[in-house]
Amino acid sequence: MEKDLVIIGGGPAGLAAAIAAREAGVEDLLVLERDSRLGGILNQCIHNGFGLHTFKEELTGPEYAGRYIEKVLEQKIPYKLNTMVIDLEAEESRKKVTVMNREEGLYQIEARAVILAMGCRERARGALNIPGYRPAGIYSAGTAQRYVNMEGRMPGKEIVILGSGDIGLIMARRMTLEGAKVKLVAELQPYSGGLKRNIVQCLDDFGIPLKLSHTVVDIKGKERVESVTVARVDENLKPVPGSEEEIPCDTLLLSCGLLPENELSETLGVKMNPVTGGPEVDESLETSREGVFACGNVLHVHDLVDYVSQEAAQAGKNAAAYLSGSRSGQGRGIPIRAVQGVRYTVPSSVDVSRMEETQVVRFRVGNVFRNAAIEVSCGGKILKSQKKQILAPGEMEQVILKRAELEQIEDPEEITVSVRAESRGRD
């Protein structure tokens, strides 16, 4: 089978990319989705708060996904469900996508271009090194969300949550509304990993305590969780002796971060960003492999699905330009370097000659900063200084680069994005 464009992933990123590619003139494309339905993780996110930027109204996750699924159906974009991509190779101008499903077995698709939109996964408990047995009652927050929202199953009645990622915060509220008692949310870092609005709406509004600089140091129970022990950690994230507190519970939910799903990217050999765990991309969202683009949470974990859709639409549009041969440029990328409080940037380089008039650069900071300014510099000149009352790792930030400004700089070696802060402290 041959296709001009193959999109791996039928979640919000893959759907937005497919729609944008079709609208840009790509007729021969195919979306591959390993689940039994389109929509990705949004299908289990039944809370509202989605779509304010994209649709100017508040939607649930399934409603947001439904808007894109409707467009896919209207435009007759082909897709395959229950189809797993198990290998990806790049040979000159052709990419070989090896897939498998129940109906067709194992086969290959040759594609001229590929968009990676596999999303992200939760960090496994094994990586957390919590002592104790492995009894029943330990779930990732996302698994618990699926049980409650899609399967109608309650994971437990007395809950402790480790990690203040957005899914964990949302599940604290969800479990409370379903009649469970959420006793505590413990966060290893001195700041929350979730959006401020979720801390307020999911914890504060329900009187659920959030203990920063705390972690779980022991789990008791052989058949079922009976209690967990939490302790305060020092500035080196080591438990402080004597600060231990045992909390009776029957369930521990882990919300300890999300990781871009990039086994296929690594198999393909694209250059990876060691901070995000996702591919490095240029202004077109093209990876180090020609004709392979990436978007959404496979690049870096976003805080809002609206930004995922925006980014994916650009990937679809740029993939269409690549296929048509209309993408011009010198091929000289200027590196964008994250310095002084900024952890990473997406994209990690820009070719000014093929930029649009403006270029969005998204990033996260590495600490809580108050009364700060985001600065963008190039060639010894400050291009932008944007004041921020507070910056936190849980909130994704962005700056806008202007092509006209970069064109005025002679032989720029790099662009830097940094934080100039009057104070840094705990949130």
Side-chain angles (χ1 to χ4, degrees):
M1 181 184 295
E2 295 185 356
K3 292 288 176 183
D4 283 341
L5 176 62
V6 168
I7 298 167
I8 305 175
L15 297 179
I19 292 164
R22 172 56 61 85
E23 291 175 347
V26 180
E27 292 295 328
D28 187 24
L29 76 165
L30 177 65
V31 177
L32 302 174
E33 170 55 47
R34 65 184 178 185
D35 207 347
S36 59
R37 65 177 79 175
L38 296 174
I41 195 67
L42 290 182
N43 289 321
Q44 69 186 53
C45 300
I46 65 173
H47 54 280
N48 58 12
F50 301 92
L52 289 172
H53 294 269
T54 305
F55 298 109
K56 309 304 179 187
E57 60 180 304
E58 203 168 21
L59 305 171
T60 65
E63 287 173 336
Y64 186 96
R67 299 285 179 95
Y68 282 91
I69 293 170
E70 286 176 9
K71 289 184 180 180
V72 165
L73 297 177
E74 287 172 4
Q75 298 184 14
K76 295 182 172 57
I77 295 173
Y79 59 88
K80 289 182 180 291
L81 302 176
N82 298 307
T83 300
M84 177 72 75
V85 177
I86 61 174
D87 195 24
L88 185 58
E89 302 175 50
E91 297 180 2
E92 297 180 355
S93 61
R94 307 296 289 186
K95 287 78 186 170
K96 291 185 178 180
V97 186
T98 304
V99 304
M100 183 171 62
N101 60 35
R102 183 180 298 176
E103 292 75 22
E104 300 163 290
L106 182 70
Y107 64 99
Q108 278 191 338
I109 304 171
E110 287 199 0
R112 292 174 56 205
V114 170
I115 297 178
L116 306 173
M118 295 87 71
C120 59
R121 68 174 187 271
E122 292 182 280
R123 194 182 300 274
R125 184 205 170 190
L128 305 177
N129 299 319
I130 302 172
Y133 292 97
R134 299 297 185 263
I138 302 174
Y139 302 87
S140 71
T143 299
Q145 185 182 59
R146 183 179 181 90
Y147 281 172
V148 176
N149 293 347
M150 298 186 72
E151 300 181 19
R153 298 167 55 190
M154 282 289 285
K157 296 180 179 179
E158 294 187 315
I159 318 294
V160 170
I161 299 176
L162 175 60
S164 61
D166 286 314
I167 300 176
L169 298 176
I170 288 165
M171 282 308 294
R173 176 179 62 185
R174 187 78 176 102
M175 297 298 291
T176 301
L177 291 172
E178 289 296 329
K181 173 66 176 176
V182 179
K183 295 190 168 183
L184 172 71
V185 176
E187 170 57 56
L188 178 69
Q189 299 291 341
Y191 48 78
S192 171
L195 292 169
K196 187 68 176 178
R197 74 181 191 197
N198 284 334
I199 297 172
V200 173
Q201 295 174 2
C202 300
L203 299 187
D204 295 351
D205 288 355
F206 293 90
I208 299 171
L210 169 63
K211 287 195 174 185
L212 301 176
S213 298
H214 278 71
T215 192
V216 173
V217 296
D218 193 21
I219 300 170
K220 290 187 178 178
K222 291 186 178 181
E223 300 300 323
R224 175 84 193 194
V225 173
E226 297 173 2
S227 69
V228 300
T229 301
V230 300
R232 183 164 50 86
V233 298
D234 59 21
E235 61 273 9
N236 297 315
L237 305 182
K238 301 296 183 183
V240 176
S243 67
E244 297 87 357
E245 178 187 0
E246 185 174 348
I247 302 174
C249 62
D250 61 16
T251 304
L252 174 64
L253 301 187
L254 304 173
S255 180
C256 301
L258 299 169
L259 299 171
E261 187 79 71
N262 270 298
E263 283 79 2
L264 288 174
S265 308
E266 292 170 348
T267 298
L268 189 60
V270 304
K271 186 177 180 181
M272 305 295 286
N273 186 311
V275 177
T276 64
E280 290 195 353
V281 294
D282 62 15
E283 77 293 331
S284 300
L285 298 177
E286 187 177 27
T287 69
S288 58
R289 290 280 191 171
E290 181 184 338
V292 178
F293 299 79
C295 57
N297 286 343
V298 82
L299 270 184
H300 61 132
V301 178
H302 292 59
D303 53 1
L304 297 178
V305 72
D306 302 77
Y307 297 149
V308 168
S309 300
Q310 291 173 16
E311 192 174 85
Q314 285 299 310
K317 178 181 175 182
N318 291 326
Y322 169 81
L323 290 168
S324 68
S326 63
R327 201 174 53 138
S328 60
Q330 300 170 353
R332 178 180 177 270
I334 304 171
I336 303 177
R337 198 156 63 91
V339 298
Q340 197 174 318
V342 177
R343 297 187 64 233
Y344 68 87
T345 67
V346 173
S348 55
S349 67
V350 293
D351 182 342
V352 178
S353 65
R354 64 187 188 195
M355 272 178 64
E356 297 184 355
E357 290 185 11
T358 60
Q359 173 69 48
V360 176
V361 177
R362 295 193 168 100
F363 63 93
R364 287 185 189 269
V365 297
N367 208 321
V368 176
F369 297 94
R370 302 181 188 280
N371 301 317
I374 299 166
E375 287 190 350
V376 181
S377 301
C378 184
K381 179 182 178 182
I382 296 177
L383 302 180
K384 183 180 292 292
S385 182
Q386 182 176 320
K387 290 186 177 180
K388 300 285 287 189
Q389 190 173 6
I390 187 166
L391 292 165
E395 308 272 350
M396 198 169 67
E397 302 290 339
Q398 69 177 41
V399 292
I400 308 295
L401 300 181
K402 296 181 179 180
R403 175 172 177 165
E405 291 181 343
L406 292 173
E407 286 177 331
Q408 293 175 6
I409 299 172
E410 187 174 349
D411 295 326
E413 293 185 1
E414 67 177 15
I415 300 165
T416 61
V417 183
S418 62
V419 174
R420 178 172 53 79
E422 293 181 11
S423 63
R424 184 179 69 185
R426 300 192 170 198
D427 190 17

